[in-house]
Amino acid sequence: MTVQSCVSIRNEWDIVAARQMGRNVAKDLGFGTVDQARITTAISELARNIYLYAGTGQICIEELDEYGKRGLKVIATDDGPGIPDIRQVMEDGFSTSGGLGAGLPGVKRLMDSFQIDSSSEEGTAIYAVKWIR
């Protein structure tokens, strides 16, 4: 099963649309309300990062079914400047925008798996998976 839904991120309203898409897919797959909130929060943070740091990009959600386990994968991509120091942005409290610095480390904690691929030539791709318990 690989149904994929995407929202282009160009403005703040697109962040809202990405959150809603994520909540709807999570609900349709059978996630409980707590995990729906976790997924929605993670998507919100990823979409906001695209908007703030890259300008434009997209959030896609892919439904997963592997060995009888169901879940979803959030894929956040952009063609922005990349993340120069991934280790630094994964430290709690680090922020370049004056925020709380809970961003990407928070996303990692909310989801079951998390991966970042980033370069100054190709932008950033973040993959985060949540499995139904």
Side-chain angles (χ1 to χ4, degrees):
M1 173 191 322
T2 309
V3 174
Q4 194 169 9
S5 304
C6 296
V7 172
S8 293
I9 306 298
R10 295 177 307 276
N11 58 56
E12 290 185 358
W13 289 109
D14 295 333
I15 298 168
V16 175
R19 285 175 54 93
Q20 191 60 47
M21 175 188 66
R23 183 178 303 279
N24 291 340
V25 171
K27 184 177 181 181
D28 291 346
L29 282 172
F31 280 95
T33 56
V34 172
D35 279 340
Q36 288 175 39
R38 288 180 176 130
I39 292 163
T40 302
T41 301
I43 289 170
S44 182
E45 183 60 38
L46 293 169
R48 184 162 300 286
N49 281 356
I50 289 170
Y51 176 68
L52 288 175
Y53 300 113
T56 61
Q58 70 177 2
I59 298 285
C60 293
I61 297 177
E62 183 178 310
E63 297 177 18
L64 302 174
D65 190 350
E66 295 179 7
Y67 309 108
K69 285 176 65 175
R70 296 191 66 204
L72 62 78
K73 179 189 289 185
V74 178
I75 306 160
T77 57
D78 66 62
D79 295 322
I83 301 170
D85 189 343
I86 292 173
R87 184 178 302 147
Q88 187 178 40
V89 300
M90 292 306 296
E91 291 176 9
D92 281 317
F94 176 78
S95 174
T96 57
S97 66
L100 297 175
L104 294 179
V107 172
K108 184 177 181 180
R109 283 190 294 274
L110 290 167
M111 303 297 278
D112 295 325
S113 69
F114 179 87
Q115 176 187 342
I116 299 176
D117 295 326
S118 188
S119 74
S120 59
E121 297 85 30
E122 297 179 20
T124 300
I126 298 176
Y127 310 91
V129 173
K130 190 73 169 171
W131 296 104
I132 297 174
R133 299 188 199 303

